[in-house]
C-alpha cells in the first residue's frame, strides 16, 4: 500500500514540477525525495494562492462564487507555471535571481495585503463605525 501511494505521489509531483516520471523512477532515492519536497512546497503555495485569488476576485471584482473559483484556478495555474520555470531552470543567470526576487516581492506584497484585509476586516469595520 505504501509503495502504491508513494508511486502516486511521485507521479503527481512529476506532473506538477515538470520532471519526467519515466526517467525519475530509474534515478536515486535522493532525486525522488527532491521531487517530493518540491511537490509539497508547490501544494502549499498553490493552496495559498488559490485562497488569495478566490478572495480577491470575490471581494474586489465581485465575480460571485463560480467566477471566484475560476479566478482562483487561474491564479493557481499561474503560480504553478512560474514555480515550474524556477525549478526547471538549469542556468545560473544573475538576471533570473533578480527577476525571481522581484516576483517574490510582488507576490508577498499582494498576498499579505489581501490576507491582512481578511484577518482585520472586523477591526476596520469597528473603527469605521466608531469614527462616524
Amino acid at each position: 500500500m505504501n509503495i502504491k501511494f508513494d508511486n502516486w505521489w511521485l507521479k503527481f509531483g512529476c506532473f506538477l514540477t515538470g520532471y519526467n516520471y519515466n526517467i525519475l523512477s530509474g534515478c536515486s532515492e535522493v532525486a525522488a525525495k527532491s521531487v517530493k519536497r518540491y511537490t509539497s512546497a508547490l501544494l502549499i503555495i498553490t493552496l495559498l494562492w488559490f485562497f488569495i485569488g478566490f478572495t480577491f476576485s470575490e471581494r474586489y471584482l465581485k465575480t460571485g462564487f463560480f467566477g471566484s473559483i475560476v479566478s482562483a484556478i487561474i491564479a493557481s495555474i499561474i503560480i504553478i507555471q512560474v514555480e515550474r520555470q524556477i525549478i526547471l531552470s538549469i542556468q545560473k543567470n544573475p538576471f533570473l535571481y533578480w527577476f525571481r526576487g522581484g516576483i517574490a516581492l510582488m507576490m508577498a506584497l499582494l498576498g499579505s495585503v489581501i490576507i491582512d484585509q481578511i484577518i482585520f476586516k472586523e477591526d476596520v469595520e469597528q473603527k469605521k463605525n466608531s469614527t462616524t
Side-chain angles (χ1 to χ4, degrees):
M1 177 86 178
N2 190 20
I3 294 172
K4 289 182 182 179
F5 178 74
D6 198 36
N7 192 21
W8 175 83
W9 186 251
L10 190 59
K11 284 183 181 179
F12 180 66
C14 287
F15 170 75
L16 280 182
T17 59
Y19 285 111
N20 187 337
Y21 175 75
N22 295 326
I23 295 173
L24 191 67
S25 61
C27 291
S28 69
E29 184 65 25
V30 173
K33 283 185 178 186
S34 178
V35 170
K36 291 175 189 176
R37 188 176 61 237
Y38 287 146
T39 303
S40 298
L42 271 172
L43 282 178
I44 292 169
I45 293 169
T46 302
L47 288 174
L48 178 67
W49 278 94
F50 185 89
F51 174 74
I52 290 170
F54 181 88
T55 306
F56 177 79
S57 62
E58 183 181 47
R59 178 178 277 216
Y60 298 111
L61 302 179
K62 310 274 189 238
T63 58
F65 180 76
F66 292 109
S68 298
I69 290 289
V70 170
S71 297
I73 290 170
I74 290 171
S76 298
I77 290 171
I78 289 170
I79 291 303
I80 288 172
Q81 293 304 318
V82 167
E83 294 298 324
R84 184 184 267 193
Q85 293 300 316
I86 292 169
I87 291 169
L88 295 176
S89 67
I90 298 170
Q91 302 172 353
K92 300 290 183 194
N93 188 348
F95 173 73
L96 287 176
Y97 290 117
W98 285 102
F99 182 71
R100 290 177 196 158
I103 288 175
L105 188 62
M106 289 187 318
M107 288 171 51
L109 183 64
L110 179 64
S112 65
V113 166
I114 292 171
I115 290 175
D116 282 350
Q117 287 182 355
I118 292 167
I119 291 172
F120 298 115
K121 179 181 178 182
E122 292 178 14
D123 294 337
V124 171
E125 290 297 324
Q126 285 177 355
K127 187 70 172 175
K128 282 195 320 189
N129 291 336
S130 69
T131 59
T132 56

